[in-house]
Amino acid sequence: MPLEQPTQPTATPPGPRRILADFGGVYFANAVVAFIFAASGPVAIILAVGTRGGLAPSDLSSWIFGAFFANGLISIAFCWLYRQPLVFFWTIPGTVLVGPALVHLSYAEVIGAFIATGVLMLALGLSGWVRRAMETVPMPIVMGMVAGVFLRFGLDLVFAIRDDFWIAAPMVAAFLALGASRGLARFFPPLIGALAVGVVMIAVLGKFDAAPQAAALAHPNLYAPAFSWRAMVELVVPLAITVLVVQNGQGVTVLRSAGHAPPVNAVAAACGTGSIVTAFVGTVSTCLTGPVNAIISASGDKRRHYTAGIFVGLLALVFGLFAPLFTGLMLGTPKAFIAALAGLAMLRVLQTAFTVSFKDHFALGALVTFLVTVVDVPILNIGAPFWGLVFGYLASRLLEPGDFPAR
């Protein structure tokens, strides 16, 4: 099998003493900042998508448990085996993609699509065909779909300022103020600043509305999947693309730029395995995270970055175990807080999606993909993101043939 071998051929995975010796203040700080990022805006996106899709608090709590606990275990294992910062969480574009599907598909059908996506990614990882699969659909067309799906979060941010000014506007102001200073943003990320300001404003205005929560351990739901062709067609290919191309592609690029050599095939196989396991508790597909790995590999000795990844994994285990508590606290905040936090978390991603889509090649195909996705009209009970990819690809094939590489 073409899976990359862990560590060096003559090396063994580090023991506890070696890990503690490699750990240090800079890796602790990077890990904490990276984890707070993962546990703030991205969690808000889960809650926003799930609430809009009609999921109950217990469903959301189970989703968050799988997203953190199971993926935390995978992260610890890969960081330890490969001595690299290989942190896995869940696909944010995939989460957003699931939102419209929950309107016309049952949760069981969506979970069946999660499992099928996991099987597909596992097969691609074990076969070594990941790179070829990643190159099938041009990146601008994929990002056109991403831009169309993410657009609603940018709009919801504007609506949050309109509907609850004294919650959302100070959050945006804090985000802009911190983002304007590179030095300050390095030590206090803008998204975390927006989160802190939002919490303060909620407390000052007395808008927290949640019953007292006991710190009970998670009791994740176990779901029986349902396999339907409409769910398979609508979700499996777009989900696999968002994981392998968008998310894993970003994570691999970030790690390579920091001097690491991430095992692409093994990562894809891990994403497939994680997706299958977490699907049974209602969690969207596993991916190699870009932002978290970027933060923990931004400073320090690259040979010791893996310790920050292990620490992020440990924090994820704790967060997952107490998922009901954290879910209840987040759901007790005003809707504008969740919308603003999710919107701010998506700003740079949305910007990147537009830039990649319309910068150079395949621009017309990307535009067609974007428009079809934004209109969000299902065809044959299959959601618009899938058709956006289909029509965008066909438009580029017919009208932009010169953008495709010669075979």
Side-chain angles (χ1 to χ4, degrees), residues 251-260 262 297:
V252 168
T253 301
V254 161
L255 291 173
R256 284 176 176 168
S257 66
H260 296 287
S297 61

Side-chain angles (χ1 to χ4, degrees), residues 77-128:
F78 264 66
C79 291
W80 176 64
L81 287 171
Y82 287 92
R83 293 199 193 187
Q84 295 185 48
L86 298 168
V87 176
F88 295 77
F89 277 127
W90 67 96
T91 165
I92 295 175
T95 300
V96 179
L97 190 70
V98 167
L102 287 171
V103 175
H104 59 271
L105 295 174
S106 70
Y107 199 26
E109 288 178 298
V110 171
I111 289 169
F114 291 166
I115 294 173
T117 303
V119 171
L120 174 61
M121 293 191 295
L122 177 59
L124 290 173
L126 294 176
S127 67

Side-chain angles (χ1 to χ4, degrees), residues 34-51 60-61 63-65 67-68 89-92 95 153 191 195 316 319-320 322-323 325-331 333 337-339 341-343 345-346:
F35 180 75
I36 292 175
F37 173 88
S40 53
V43 171
I45 293 168
I46 291 178
L47 297 179
V49 167
T51 302
L60 296 173
S61 175
W63 183 333
I64 291 172
F65 167 81
F68 281 92
F89 277 127
W90 67 96
T91 165
I92 295 175
T95 300
F153 285 90
L191 188 63
L195 169 68
F319 194 93
F322 292 97
L325 172 64
F326 295 118
T327 304
L329 292 175
M330 290 287 281
L331 290 176
T333 60
F337 173 78
I338 299 295
L341 195 61
M346 302 308 295

Side-chain angles (χ1 to χ4, degrees), residues 31 37 59 72 149 152-153 156 170 207 250 262 277 294 304 309 318 325 395 405:
F37 173 88
D59 297 321
V149 171
R152 71 195 65 188
F153 285 90
D156 285 347
K207 290 197 171 184
Q250 182 186 57
V277 173
R304 300 166 64 186
V318 175
L325 172 64

